[in-house]
Amino acid sequence: DAKTTQPPSMDCAEGRAANLPCNHSTISGNEYVYWYRQIHSQGPQYIIHGLKNNETNEMASLIITEDRKSSTLILPHATLRDTAVYYCIVRDYSGTYKYIFGTGTRLKVLA
Amino acid sequence: NAGVMQNPRHLVRRRGQEARLRCSPMKGHSHVYWYRQLPEEGLKFMVYLQKENIIDESGMPKERFSAEFPKEGPSILRIQQVVRGDSAAYFCASSPVTKKTGRFNYGYTFGSGTRLTVV
């Protein structure tokens, strides 16, 4: 079973920041948080990942709470092309490295 | 540097036929993962393979499904005697050898998938 819970859907105005929350209250010390997105029926696309520090790359920022029980993916200036299903995943490096996807958040960016 | 290549993109099979789905990982990637996505659902893990080894097949149906990743050539997901319920998108992903620091592992790279339709 997925170790994360996300809201099923969100809307965001084009040009505004999209903040996508994720709860992972059972996360353990060696588990990383990964974010992927799936546009239409394409293959999932990697966005960002982190362990306990906040991370930023050219696509997004990842904010992880101090207790690591939740995180937020931030798309700073959402565009119509960011409309997708966003998946938050926790992954254990000591296991077989497989991802267990939850149901994700369907983000709709509105013009 | 080509990404993960899956073929065919679309596959139509009649009930009872066999389906073979191919996945060529990114150059230098030695780990392959297969996922299935039913219509309007999330991705479900099926199997994780390294060259010539099945590491985790906990998501594979017990019958009719098999996977391999030979020393040479692509990974193959094989479905025998397909049924309508096998209609889905099948995604393959690959990753390099994982390093524990995390900074050197940017996660999986997924292919574009094979859409299997059983008629």
PDB file of all heavy atoms in Angstrom, chain A residues 3-41:
ATOM      1  N   LYS A   3       2.288   4.761   1.014  1.00  0.00           N
ATOM      2  CA  LYS A   3       2.513   5.336   2.339  1.00  0.00           C
ATOM      3  C   LYS A   3       2.173   6.810   2.368  1.00  0.00           C
ATOM      4  O   LYS A   3       2.529   7.504   3.317  1.00  0.00           O
ATOM      5  CB  LYS A   3       3.970   5.141   2.730  1.00  0.00           C
ATOM      6  CG  LYS A   3       4.373   3.683   2.912  1.00  0.00           C
ATOM      7  CD  LYS A   3       5.790   3.591   3.420  1.00  0.00           C
ATOM      8  CE  LYS A   3       6.175   2.170   3.709  1.00  0.00           C
ATOM      9  NZ  LYS A   3       7.551   2.067   4.259  1.00  0.00           N
ATOM     10  N   THR A   4       1.552   7.304   1.342  1.00  0.00           N
ATOM     11  CA  THR A   4       1.262   8.734   1.241  1.00  0.00           C
ATOM     12  C   THR A   4      -0.217   8.961   0.995  1.00  0.00           C
ATOM     13  O   THR A   4      -0.909   8.108   0.431  1.00  0.00           O
ATOM     14  CB  THR A   4       2.048   9.367   0.083  1.00  0.00           C
ATOM     15  OG1 THR A   4       1.661   8.745  -1.151  1.00  0.00           O
ATOM     16  CG2 THR A   4       3.550   9.192   0.275  1.00  0.00           C
ATOM     17  N   THR A   5      -0.699  10.130   1.437  1.00  0.00           N
ATOM     18  CA  THR A   5      -2.060  10.554   1.118  1.00  0.00           C
ATOM     19  C   THR A   5      -1.998  11.952   0.535  1.00  0.00           C
ATOM     20  O   THR A   5      -1.261  12.817   1.036  1.00  0.00           O
ATOM     21  CB  THR A   5      -2.971  10.538   2.349  1.00  0.00           C
ATOM     22  OG1 THR A   5      -2.390  11.338   3.377  1.00  0.00           O
ATOM     23  CG2 THR A   5      -3.172   9.126   2.864  1.00  0.00           C
ATOM     24  N   GLN A   6      -2.783  12.146  -0.513  1.00  0.00           N
ATOM     25  CA  GLN A   6      -2.829  13.433  -1.212  1.00  0.00           C
ATOM     26  C   GLN A   6      -4.280  13.785  -1.514  1.00  0.00           C
ATOM     27  O   GLN A   6      -5.116  12.887  -1.680  1.00  0.00           O
ATOM     28  CB  GLN A   6      -2.072  13.335  -2.541  1.00  0.00           C
ATOM     29  CG  GLN A   6      -0.601  12.972  -2.438  1.00  0.00           C
ATOM     30  CD  GLN A   6       0.020  12.783  -3.821  1.00  0.00           C
ATOM     31  OE1 GLN A   6       0.321  11.660  -4.231  1.00  0.00           O
ATOM     32  NE2 GLN A   6       0.196  13.889  -4.526  1.00  0.00           N
ATOM     33  N   PRO A   7      -4.576  15.085  -1.618  1.00  0.00           N
ATOM     34  CA  PRO A   7      -5.944  15.452  -2.029  1.00  0.00           C
ATOM     35  C   PRO A   7      -6.164  14.973  -3.450  1.00  0.00           C
ATOM     36  O   PRO A   7      -5.250  14.986  -4.277  1.00  0.00           O
ATOM     37  CB  PRO A   7      -5.943  16.976  -1.936  1.00  0.00           C
ATOM     38  CG  PRO A   7      -4.509  17.371  -1.978  1.00  0.00           C
ATOM     39  CD  PRO A   7      -3.737  16.259  -1.374  1.00  0.00           C
ATOM     40  N   PRO A   8      -7.383  14.554  -3.780  1.00  0.00           N
ATOM     41  CA  PRO A   8      -7.614  13.988  -5.112  1.00  0.00           C
ATOM     42  C   PRO A   8      -7.493  15.007  -6.238  1.00  0.00           C
ATOM     43  O   PRO A   8      -7.095  14.651  -7.350  1.00  0.00           O
ATOM     44  CB  PRO A   8      -9.029  13.423  -5.036  1.00  0.00           C
ATOM     45  CG  PRO A   8      -9.647  14.086  -3.857  1.00  0.00           C
ATOM     46  CD  PRO A   8      -8.557  14.409  -2.911  1.00  0.00           C
ATOM     47  N   SER A   9      -7.826  16.259  -5.964  1.00  0.00           N
ATOM     48  CA  SER A   9      -7.773  17.241  -7.046  1.00  0.00           C
ATOM     49  C   SER A   9      -7.547  18.640  -6.495  1.00  0.00           C
ATOM     50  O   SER A   9      -7.854  18.929  -5.332  1.00  0.00           O
ATOM     51  CB  SER A   9      -9.066  17.207  -7.872  1.00  0.00           C
ATOM     52  OG  SER A   9     -10.170  17.578  -7.075  1.00  0.00           O
ATOM     53  N   MET A  10      -6.992  19.492  -7.342  1.00  0.00           N
ATOM     54  CA  MET A  10      -6.770  20.895  -7.013  1.00  0.00           C
ATOM     55  C   MET A  10      -6.836  21.707  -8.292  1.00  0.00           C
ATOM     56  O   MET A  10      -6.477  21.199  -9.365  1.00  0.00           O
ATOM     57  CB  MET A  10      -5.382  21.106  -6.388  1.00  0.00           C
ATOM     58  CG  MET A  10      -5.169  20.502  -5.025  1.00  0.00           C
ATOM     59  SD  MET A  10      -3.505  20.845  -4.416  1.00  0.00           S
ATOM     60  CE  MET A  10      -3.543  22.613  -4.274  1.00  0.00           C
ATOM     61  N   ASP A  11      -7.244  22.960  -8.155  1.00  0.00           N
ATOM     62  CA  ASP A  11      -7.184  23.900  -9.260  1.00  0.00           C
ATOM     63  C   ASP A  11      -6.199  25.010  -8.915  1.00  0.00           C
ATOM     64  O   ASP A  11      -5.995  25.333  -7.743  1.00  0.00           O
ATOM     65  CB  ASP A  11      -8.560  24.536  -9.510  1.00  0.00           C
ATOM     66  CG  ASP A  11      -9.563  23.556 -10.087  1.00  0.00           C
ATOM     67  OD1 ASP A  11      -9.130  22.504 -10.609  1.00  0.00           O
ATOM     68  OD2 ASP A  11     -10.773  23.829 -10.014  1.00  0.00           O
ATOM     69  N   CYS A  12      -5.598  25.586  -9.950  1.00  0.00           N
ATOM     70  CA  CYS A  12      -4.652  26.673  -9.747  1.00  0.00           C
ATOM     71  C   CYS A  12      -4.757  27.614 -10.944  1.00  0.00           C
ATOM     72  O   CYS A  12      -4.864  27.150 -12.088  1.00  0.00           O
ATOM     73  CB  CYS A  12      -3.228  26.132  -9.631  1.00  0.00           C
ATOM     74  SG  CYS A  12      -1.965  27.399  -9.479  1.00  0.00           S
ATOM     75  N   ALA A  13      -4.724  28.914 -10.686  1.00  0.00           N
ATOM     76  CA  ALA A  13      -4.770  29.882 -11.770  1.00  0.00           C
ATOM     77  C   ALA A  13      -3.410  29.956 -12.450  1.00  0.00           C
ATOM     78  O   ALA A  13      -2.351  29.888 -11.792  1.00  0.00           O
ATOM     79  CB  ALA A  13      -5.163  31.251 -11.229  1.00  0.00           C
ATOM     80  N   GLU A  14      -3.442  30.088 -13.752  1.00  0.00           N
ATOM     81  CA  GLU A  14      -2.206  30.194 -14.521  1.00  0.00           C
ATOM     82  C   GLU A  14      -1.376  31.369 -14.018  1.00  0.00           C
ATOM     83  O   GLU A  14      -1.896  32.464 -13.776  1.00  0.00           O
ATOM     84  CB  GLU A  14      -2.545  30.380 -16.004  1.00  0.00           C
ATOM     85  CG  GLU A  14      -1.345  30.306 -16.927  1.00  0.00           C
ATOM     86  CD  GLU A  14      -1.731  30.442 -18.384  1.00  0.00           C
ATOM     87  OE1 GLU A  14      -2.820  30.963 -18.666  1.00  0.00           O
ATOM     88  OE2 GLU A  14      -0.927  30.030 -19.239  1.00  0.00           O
ATOM     89  N   GLY A  15      -0.075  31.131 -13.849  1.00  0.00           N
ATOM     90  CA  GLY A  15       0.834  32.172 -13.377  1.00  0.00           C
ATOM     91  C   GLY A  15       0.982  32.241 -11.872  1.00  0.00           C
ATOM     92  O   GLY A  15       1.920  32.859 -11.375  1.00  0.00           O
ATOM     93  N   ARG A  16       0.074  31.588 -11.161  1.00  0.00           N
ATOM     94  CA  ARG A  16       0.167  31.557  -9.712  1.00  0.00           C
ATOM     95  C   ARG A  16       0.952  30.339  -9.265  1.00  0.00           C
ATOM     96  O   ARG A  16       1.176  29.401 -10.029  1.00  0.00           O
ATOM     97  CB  ARG A  16      -1.239  31.522  -9.088  1.00  0.00           C
ATOM     98  CG  ARG A  16      -2.137  32.655  -9.505  1.00  0.00           C
ATOM     99  CD  ARG A  16      -1.602  34.001  -9.028  1.00  0.00           C
ATOM    100  NE  ARG A  16      -1.603  34.124  -7.578  1.00  0.00           N
ATOM    101  CZ  ARG A  16      -2.617  34.633  -6.878  1.00  0.00           C
ATOM    102  NH1 ARG A  16      -3.714  35.031  -7.467  1.00  0.00           N
ATOM    103  NH2 ARG A  16      -2.517  34.744  -5.565  1.00  0.00           N
ATOM    104  N   ALA A  17       1.361  30.337  -8.002  1.00  0.00           N
ATOM    105  CA  ALA A  17       2.069  29.184  -7.447  1.00  0.00           C
ATOM    106  C   ALA A  17       1.065  28.072  -7.137  1.00  0.00           C
ATOM    107  O   ALA A  17      -0.003  28.332  -6.585  1.00  0.00           O
ATOM    108  CB  ALA A  17       2.820  29.581  -6.188  1.00  0.00           C
ATOM    109  N   ALA A  18       1.448  26.877  -7.490  1.00  0.00           N
ATOM    110  CA  ALA A  18       0.645  25.699  -7.136  1.00  0.00           C
ATOM    111  C   ALA A  18       1.334  24.993  -5.979  1.00  0.00           C
ATOM    112  O   ALA A  18       2.521  24.654  -6.081  1.00  0.00           O
ATOM    113  CB  ALA A  18       0.515  24.763  -8.330  1.00  0.00           C
ATOM    114  N   ASN A  19       0.609  24.808  -4.890  1.00  0.00           N
ATOM    115  CA  ASN A  19       1.160  24.145  -3.703  1.00  0.00           C
ATOM    116  C   ASN A  19       0.430  22.830  -3.501  1.00  0.00           C
ATOM    117  O   ASN A  19      -0.747  22.808  -3.160  1.00  0.00           O
ATOM    118  CB  ASN A  19       0.985  25.034  -2.470  1.00  0.00           C
ATOM    119  CG  ASN A  19       1.740  26.341  -2.593  1.00  0.00           C
ATOM    120  OD1 ASN A  19       2.963  26.371  -2.583  1.00  0.00           O
ATOM    121  ND2 ASN A  19       1.009  27.433  -2.726  1.00  0.00           N
ATOM    122  N   LEU A  20       1.136  21.741  -3.702  1.00  0.00           N
ATOM    123  CA  LEU A  20       0.523  20.418  -3.614  1.00  0.00           C
ATOM    124  C   LEU A  20       0.998  19.721  -2.345  1.00  0.00           C
ATOM    125  O   LEU A  20       2.181  19.411  -2.200  1.00  0.00           O
ATOM    126  CB  LEU A  20       0.873  19.573  -4.833  1.00  0.00           C
ATOM    127  CG  LEU A  20       0.250  20.026  -6.160  1.00  0.00           C
ATOM    128  CD1 LEU A  20       1.131  21.036  -6.868  1.00  0.00           C
ATOM    129  CD2 LEU A  20      -0.008  18.831  -7.041  1.00  0.00           C
ATOM    130  N   PRO A  21       0.069  19.449  -1.412  1.00  0.00           N
ATOM    131  CA  PRO A  21       0.473  18.828  -0.144  1.00  0.00           C
ATOM    132  C   PRO A  21       0.510  17.300  -0.229  1.00  0.00           C
ATOM    133  O   PRO A  21      -0.162  16.688  -1.069  1.00  0.00           O
ATOM    134  CB  PRO A  21      -0.640  19.278   0.810  1.00  0.00           C
ATOM    135  CG  PRO A  21      -1.846  19.382  -0.066  1.00  0.00           C
ATOM    136  CD  PRO A  21      -1.353  19.795  -1.437  1.00  0.00           C
ATOM    137  N   CYS A  22       1.274  16.730   0.683  1.00  0.00           N
ATOM    138  CA  CYS A  22       1.360  15.274   0.785  1.00  0.00           C
ATOM    139  C   CYS A  22       1.624  14.900   2.242  1.00  0.00           C
ATOM    140  O   CYS A  22       2.496  15.478   2.882  1.00  0.00           O
ATOM    141  CB  CYS A  22       2.489  14.761  -0.100  1.00  0.00           C
ATOM    142  SG  CYS A  22       2.722  12.963  -0.035  1.00  0.00           S
ATOM    143  N   ASN A  23       0.858  13.958   2.742  1.00  0.00           N
ATOM    144  CA  ASN A  23       1.083  13.435   4.081  1.00  0.00           C
ATOM    145  C   ASN A  23       1.768  12.084   4.012  1.00  0.00           C
ATOM    146  O   ASN A  23       1.352  11.211   3.236  1.00  0.00           O
ATOM    147  CB  ASN A  23      -0.242  13.294   4.841  1.00  0.00           C
ATOM    148  CG  ASN A  23      -0.794  14.632   5.255  1.00  0.00           C
ATOM    149  OD1 ASN A  23      -0.044  15.524   5.642  1.00  0.00           O
ATOM    150  ND2 ASN A  23      -2.101  14.804   5.162  1.00  0.00           N
ATOM    151  N   HIS A  24       2.799  11.934   4.798  1.00  0.00           N
ATOM    152  CA  HIS A  24       3.518  10.645   4.882  1.00  0.00           C
ATOM    153  C   HIS A  24       3.908  10.433   6.344  1.00  0.00           C
ATOM    154  O   HIS A  24       5.105  10.385   6.681  1.00  0.00           O
ATOM    155  CB  HIS A  24       4.726  10.590   3.944  1.00  0.00           C
ATOM    156  CG  HIS A  24       5.386  11.911   3.672  1.00  0.00           C
ATOM    157  ND1 HIS A  24       6.268  12.494   4.566  1.00  0.00           N
ATOM    158  CD2 HIS A  24       5.274  12.756   2.617  1.00  0.00           C
ATOM    159  CE1 HIS A  24       6.696  13.635   4.056  1.00  0.00           C
ATOM    160  NE2 HIS A  24       6.111  13.839   2.890  1.00  0.00           N
ATOM    161  N   SER A  25       2.905  10.288   7.178  1.00  0.00           N
ATOM    162  CA  SER A  25       3.116  10.278   8.633  1.00  0.00           C
ATOM    163  C   SER A  25       3.893   9.059   9.113  1.00  0.00           C
ATOM    164  O   SER A  25       4.431   9.080  10.223  1.00  0.00           O
ATOM    165  CB  SER A  25       1.774  10.363   9.353  1.00  0.00           C
ATOM    166  OG  SER A  25       0.943   9.290   8.968  1.00  0.00           O
ATOM    167  N   THR A  26       3.953   7.996   8.328  1.00  0.00           N
ATOM    168  CA  THR A  26       4.663   6.782   8.766  1.00  0.00           C
ATOM    169  C   THR A  26       6.054   6.678   8.156  1.00  0.00           C
ATOM    170  O   THR A  26       6.687   5.622   8.223  1.00  0.00           O
ATOM    171  CB  THR A  26       3.856   5.521   8.423  1.00  0.00           C
ATOM    172  OG1 THR A  26       3.698   5.454   6.992  1.00  0.00           O
ATOM    173  CG2 THR A  26       2.498   5.531   9.090  1.00  0.00           C
ATOM    174  N   ILE A  27       6.533   7.750   7.596  1.00  0.00           N
ATOM    175  CA  ILE A  27       7.846   7.731   6.935  1.00  0.00           C
ATOM    176  C   ILE A  27       8.933   7.376   7.940  1.00  0.00           C
ATOM    177  O   ILE A  27       8.887   7.805   9.105  1.00  0.00           O
ATOM    178  CB  ILE A  27       8.127   9.088   6.246  1.00  0.00           C
ATOM    179  CG1 ILE A  27       9.296   8.969   5.286  1.00  0.00           C
ATOM    180  CG2 ILE A  27       8.349  10.180   7.283  1.00  0.00           C
ATOM    181  CD1 ILE A  27       9.469  10.208   4.392  1.00  0.00           C
ATOM    182  N   SER A  28       9.896   6.590   7.510  1.00  0.00           N
ATOM    183  CA  SER A  28      10.997   6.229   8.399  1.00  0.00           C
ATOM    184  C   SER A  28      12.258   6.978   7.992  1.00  0.00           C
ATOM    185  O   SER A  28      12.308   7.620   6.952  1.00  0.00           O
ATOM    186  CB  SER A  28      11.233   4.718   8.366  1.00  0.00           C
ATOM    187  OG  SER A  28      11.555   4.303   7.060  1.00  0.00           O
ATOM    188  N   GLY A  29      13.281   6.854   8.836  1.00  0.00           N
ATOM    189  CA  GLY A  29      14.453   7.697   8.698  1.00  0.00           C
ATOM    190  C   GLY A  29      15.203   7.580   7.395  1.00  0.00           C
ATOM    191  O   GLY A  29      15.839   8.532   6.952  1.00  0.00           O
ATOM    192  N   ASN A  30      15.153   6.407   6.761  1.00  0.00           N
ATOM    193  CA  ASN A  30      15.925   6.225   5.542  1.00  0.00           C
ATOM    194  C   ASN A  30      15.079   6.324   4.276  1.00  0.00           C
ATOM    195  O   ASN A  30      15.508   5.919   3.204  1.00  0.00           O
ATOM    196  CB  ASN A  30      16.665   4.885   5.581  1.00  0.00           C
ATOM    197  CG  ASN A  30      15.704   3.722   5.746  1.00  0.00           C
ATOM    198  OD1 ASN A  30      14.536   3.917   6.033  1.00  0.00           O
ATOM    199  ND2 ASN A  30      16.190   2.517   5.576  1.00  0.00           N
ATOM    200  N   GLU A  31      13.878   6.826   4.419  1.00  0.00           N
ATOM    201  CA  GLU A  31      12.991   6.941   3.259  1.00  0.00           C
ATOM    202  C   GLU A  31      13.012   8.352   2.696  1.00  0.00           C
ATOM    203  O   GLU A  31      12.870   9.330   3.422  1.00  0.00           O
ATOM    204  CB  GLU A  31      11.569   6.536   3.633  1.00  0.00           C
ATOM    205  CG  GLU A  31      11.430   5.041   3.847  1.00  0.00           C
ATOM    206  CD  GLU A  31      10.013   4.619   4.174  1.00  0.00           C
ATOM    207  OE1 GLU A  31       9.328   5.347   4.906  1.00  0.00           O
ATOM    208  OE2 GLU A  31       9.598   3.539   3.704  1.00  0.00           O
ATOM    209  N   TYR A  32      13.170   8.420   1.384  1.00  0.00           N
ATOM    210  CA  TYR A  32      13.147   9.675   0.664  1.00  0.00           C
ATOM    211  C   TYR A  32      11.739   9.970   0.168  1.00  0.00           C
ATOM    212  O   TYR A  32      10.956   9.055  -0.088  1.00  0.00           O
ATOM    213  CB  TYR A  32      14.085   9.617  -0.535  1.00  0.00           C
ATOM    214  CG  TYR A  32      15.554   9.718  -0.191  1.00  0.00           C
ATOM    215  CD1 TYR A  32      16.201   8.704   0.498  1.00  0.00           C
ATOM    216  CD2 TYR A  32      16.292  10.825  -0.583  1.00  0.00           C
ATOM    217  CE1 TYR A  32      17.548   8.791   0.793  1.00  0.00           C
ATOM    218  CE2 TYR A  32      17.645  10.924  -0.298  1.00  0.00           C
ATOM    219  CZ  TYR A  32      18.262   9.912   0.400  1.00  0.00           C
ATOM    220  OH  TYR A  32      19.600  10.014   0.692  1.00  0.00           O
ATOM    221  N   VAL A  33      11.455  11.227  -0.058  1.00  0.00           N
ATOM    222  CA  VAL A  33      10.199  11.650  -0.668  1.00  0.00           C
ATOM    223  C   VAL A  33      10.473  12.012  -2.120  1.00  0.00           C
ATOM    224  O   VAL A  33      11.369  12.814  -2.410  1.00  0.00           O
ATOM    225  CB  VAL A  33       9.596  12.863   0.058  1.00  0.00           C
ATOM    226  CG1 VAL A  33       8.289  13.278  -0.617  1.00  0.00           C
ATOM    227  CG2 VAL A  33       9.365  12.550   1.532  1.00  0.00           C
ATOM    228  N   TYR A  34       9.745  11.397  -3.022  1.00  0.00           N
ATOM    229  CA  TYR A  34       9.866  11.666  -4.457  1.00  0.00           C
ATOM    230  C   TYR A  34       8.543  12.240  -4.979  1.00  0.00           C
ATOM    231  O   TYR A  34       7.461  11.864  -4.518  1.00  0.00           O
ATOM    232  CB  TYR A  34      10.148  10.380  -5.237  1.00  0.00           C
ATOM    233  CG  TYR A  34      11.577   9.911  -5.185  1.00  0.00           C
ATOM    234  CD1 TYR A  34      12.078   9.264  -4.064  1.00  0.00           C
ATOM    235  CD2 TYR A  34      12.418  10.098  -6.276  1.00  0.00           C
ATOM    236  CE1 TYR A  34      13.396   8.824  -4.028  1.00  0.00           C
ATOM    237  CE2 TYR A  34      13.731   9.654  -6.249  1.00  0.00           C
ATOM    238  CZ  TYR A  34      14.216   9.022  -5.125  1.00  0.00           C
ATOM    239  OH  TYR A  34      15.504   8.593  -5.091  1.00  0.00           O
ATOM    240  N   TRP A  35       8.671  13.093  -5.973  1.00  0.00           N
ATOM    241  CA  TRP A  35       7.499  13.598  -6.681  1.00  0.00           C
ATOM    242  C   TRP A  35       7.657  13.312  -8.167  1.00  0.00           C
ATOM    243  O   TRP A  35       8.718  13.574  -8.761  1.00  0.00           O
ATOM    244  CB  TRP A  35       7.320  15.091  -6.451  1.00  0.00           C
ATOM    245  CG  TRP A  35       6.749  15.442  -5.121  1.00  0.00           C
ATOM    246  CD1 TRP A  35       7.426  15.565  -3.936  1.00  0.00           C
ATOM    247  CD2 TRP A  35       5.367  15.704  -4.826  1.00  0.00           C
ATOM    248  NE1 TRP A  35       6.554  15.900  -2.923  1.00  0.00           N
ATOM    249  CE2 TRP A  35       5.285  16.001  -3.431  1.00  0.00           C
ATOM    250  CE3 TRP A  35       4.201  15.746  -5.579  1.00  0.00           C
ATOM    251  CZ2 TRP A  35       4.087  16.316  -2.803  1.00  0.00           C
ATOM    252  CZ3 TRP A  35       3.011  16.061  -4.952  1.00  0.00           C
ATOM    253  CH2 TRP A  35       2.958  16.341  -3.580  1.00  0.00           C
ATOM    254  N   TYR A  36       6.568  12.792  -8.727  1.00  0.00           N
ATOM    255  CA  TYR A  36       6.474  12.559 -10.163  1.00  0.00           C
ATOM    256  C   TYR A  36       5.160  13.161 -10.657  1.00  0.00           C
ATOM    257  O   TYR A  36       4.244  13.400  -9.872  1.00  0.00           O
ATOM    258  CB  TYR A  36       6.454  11.055 -10.486  1.00  0.00           C
ATOM    259  CG  TYR A  36       7.806  10.404 -10.480  1.00  0.00           C
ATOM    260  CD1 TYR A  36       8.447  10.117  -9.285  1.00  0.00           C
ATOM    261  CD2 TYR A  36       8.448  10.070 -11.667  1.00  0.00           C
ATOM    262  CE1 TYR A  36       9.701   9.524  -9.281  1.00  0.00           C
ATOM    263  CE2 TYR A  36       9.693   9.473 -11.676  1.00  0.00           C
ATOM    264  CZ  TYR A  36      10.311   9.207 -10.479  1.00  0.00           C
ATOM    265  OH  TYR A  36      11.539   8.624 -10.485  1.00  0.00           O
ATOM    266  N   ARG A  37       5.080  13.383 -11.942  1.00  0.00           N
ATOM    267  CA  ARG A  37       3.805  13.786 -12.514  1.00  0.00           C
ATOM    268  C   ARG A  37       3.556  12.999 -13.798  1.00  0.00           C
ATOM    269  O   ARG A  37       4.491  12.551 -14.458  1.00  0.00           O
ATOM    270  CB  ARG A  37       3.766  15.278 -12.783  1.00  0.00           C
ATOM    271  CG  ARG A  37       4.618  15.777 -13.936  1.00  0.00           C
ATOM    272  CD  ARG A  37       4.483  17.268 -14.076  1.00  0.00           C
ATOM    273  NE  ARG A  37       5.261  17.806 -15.193  1.00  0.00           N
ATOM    274  CZ  ARG A  37       5.345  19.096 -15.486  1.00  0.00           C
ATOM    275  NH1 ARG A  37       4.708  20.000 -14.731  1.00  0.00           N
ATOM    276  NH2 ARG A  37       6.060  19.486 -16.518  1.00  0.00           N
ATOM    277  N   GLN A  38       2.274  12.882 -14.123  1.00  0.00           N
ATOM    278  CA  GLN A  38       1.879  12.167 -15.318  1.00  0.00           C
ATOM    279  C   GLN A  38       0.921  13.053 -16.094  1.00  0.00           C
ATOM    280  O   GLN A  38      -0.175  13.375 -15.614  1.00  0.00           O
ATOM    281  CB  GLN A  38       1.219  10.825 -14.963  1.00  0.00           C
ATOM    282  CG  GLN A  38       0.962   9.949 -16.173  1.00  0.00           C
ATOM    283  CD  GLN A  38       0.424   8.590 -15.802  1.00  0.00           C
ATOM    284  OE1 GLN A  38      -0.189   8.405 -14.755  1.00  0.00           O
ATOM    285  NE2 GLN A  38       0.660   7.595 -16.653  1.00  0.00           N
ATOM    286  N   ILE A  39       1.352  13.448 -17.263  1.00  0.00           N
ATOM    287  CA  ILE A  39       0.561  14.311 -18.140  1.00  0.00           C
ATOM    288  C   ILE A  39      -0.205  13.441 -19.118  1.00  0.00           C
ATOM    289  O   ILE A  39       0.404  12.627 -19.825  1.00  0.00           O
ATOM    290  CB  ILE A  39       1.471  15.311 -18.879  1.00  0.00           C
ATOM    291  CG1 ILE A  39       2.190  16.199 -17.867  1.00  0.00           C
ATOM    292  CG2 ILE A  39       0.668  16.136 -19.868  1.00  0.00           C
ATOM    293  CD1 ILE A  39       3.223  17.118 -18.461  1.00  0.00           C
ATOM    294  N   HIS A  40      -1.502  13.612 -19.153  1.00  0.00           N
ATOM    295  CA  HIS A  40      -2.385  12.760 -19.962  1.00  0.00           C
ATOM    296  C   HIS A  40      -2.068  11.306 -19.660  1.00  0.00           C
ATOM    297  O   HIS A  40      -2.101  10.898 -18.521  1.00  0.00           O
ATOM    298  CB  HIS A  40      -2.239  13.077 -21.467  1.00  0.00           C
ATOM    299  CG  HIS A  40      -2.691  14.438 -21.826  1.00  0.00           C
ATOM    300  ND1 HIS A  40      -3.971  14.888 -21.592  1.00  0.00           N
ATOM    301  CD2 HIS A  40      -2.034  15.472 -22.391  1.00  0.00           C
ATOM    302  CE1 HIS A  40      -4.072  16.143 -22.004  1.00  0.00           C
ATOM    303  NE2 HIS A  40      -2.915  16.525 -22.490  1.00  0.00           N
ATOM    304  N   SER A  41      -1.734  10.533 -20.607  1.00  0.00           N
ATOM    305  CA  SER A  41      -1.439   9.111 -20.403  1.00  0.00           C
ATOM    306  C   SER A  41       0.029   8.819 -20.695  1.00  0.00           C
ATOM    307  O   SER A  41       0.384   7.678 -20.972  1.00  0.00           O
ATOM    308  CB  SER A  41      -2.328   8.273 -21.318  1.00  0.00           C
ATOM    309  OG  SER A  41      -3.673   8.487 -21.025  1.00  0.00           O
TER     310      SER A  41
END
